[in-house]
Amino acid sequence: MSNLETNKKYCETIESKIKLDAKPVAMKLIKTEDDLPEGINLIDEKIRHCEMVRKASLGNTFYSTIDQQLCLGGAGAIGLRDMPEKLANGEKYFSLGRFQDLETAKKLTAELSVVKDIHWGMIYAPLDEANFEADVIQIITEPVGGMKLAQSIVYKSGAKIEPSFAGIQSLCGDAFANPYITDGINFTLGCDGSRKAADIKDNEMTVGISKAKIEEVISGLDSI
């Protein structure tokens, strides 16, 4: 079965079990331009990573390099550049009033999920149109959809889910970098940036599933 056929099957299962207002999104980091699958074009605007996820969820397929990434923190989290120093050391978030002091901000930012290995670009596509094996699949859904995904995960694992999030860098760090790094699954409640820029609704959350876990999730969804 081709990558496209497999992804169509995954998407069909997800959509049959979970209430969605947009498509699951397939994302893949690429090392060089030569790694691009045929027929995928460069995005024609400069926007944030979370906005790119939303754009793909609405039916668009494209790739981005660092030059099209408006949010440098997001680009740093997904591995298209080093994390900006003032974000990495907590100064930016402290200046925004997110933490009681700089030491607390540094403690948290040291724990954020960041892809350390720098890549040339990222491909984004609605899952049922992705002709590549995704590194991570993101699903934007209401909490009841998150519940169903949680049930599909524990169906086989028998282990409680331990999500990792902080209300900061959600679609970039929590829902991409975390599952990418851990070969796992992560649940996130969004961040101010993604809710404002990428139109993640007040009643929506995001789940990131690594390629190592997608078969298990799909199998679980089919079984419950």
Side-chain angles (χ1 to χ4, degrees), residues 24-216:
V25 175
M27 280 168 279
K28 184 179 183 65
L29 281 170
I30 47 177
K31 276 290 191 185
T32 71
E33 190 171 2
D34 293 337
D35 297 327
L36 267 177
E38 278 188 38
I40 297 181
N41 297 317
L42 182 66
I43 188 170
D44 60 359
E45 56 186 330
K46 186 167 184 171
I47 55 177
R48 297 163 177 81
H49 162 77
C50 56
E51 292 178 279
M52 294 187 190
V53 174
R54 174 57 85 187
K55 191 178 177 78
S57 79
L58 298 176
N60 299 280
T61 298
F62 53 88
Y63 75 92
S64 163
T65 70
I66 184 58
D67 295 334
Q68 291 75 45
Q69 295 280 340
L70 185 61
C71 173
L72 299 185
I78 64 174
L80 295 189
R81 57 158 289 158
D82 289 329
M83 186 61 76
E85 186 180 355
K86 286 186 184 299
L87 281 179
N89 66 19
E91 288 180 23
K92 176 68 171 176
Y93 289 118
F94 176 57
S95 73
L96 293 173
R98 299 287 183 79
F99 297 95
Q100 63 179 359
D101 51 43
L102 185 55
E103 186 181 348
T104 307
K106 285 182 176 179
K107 181 181 175 185
L108 188 280
T109 52
E111 295 294 321
L112 293 175
S113 299
V114 175
V115 178
K116 302 290 189 188
D117 196 15
I118 306 302
H119 290 72
W120 177 79
M122 173 84 88
I123 312 171
Y124 302 78
L127 181 58
D128 57 358
E129 295 179 28
N131 63 347
F132 54 87
E133 183 184 31
D135 290 327
V136 172
I137 292 166
Q138 284 187 14
I139 300 169
I140 300 167
T141 180
E142 293 181 359
V144 66
M147 178 195 76
K148 293 254 188 214
L149 286 166
Q151 291 170 343
S152 76
I153 295 162
V154 303
Y155 180 81
K156 287 196 171 180
S157 72
K160 286 182 76 174
I161 295 159
E162 297 182 3
S164 173
F165 62 90
I168 291 171
Q169 295 193 347
S170 61
L171 268 66
C172 51
D174 295 343
F176 182 85
N178 180 287
Y180 180 87
I181 294 163
T182 64
D183 282 334
I185 301 163
N186 199 24
F187 290 61
T188 180
L189 296 182
C191 60
D192 290 338
S194 62
R195 293 200 182 278
K196 192 180 296 180
D199 195 30
I200 304 299
K201 305 287 194 301
D202 286 354
N203 64 337
E204 289 179 328
M205 59 180 292
T206 304
V207 181
I209 306 165
S210 67
K211 65 182 175 186
K213 289 290 186 181
I214 186 62
E215 281 282 359
E216 191 177 319

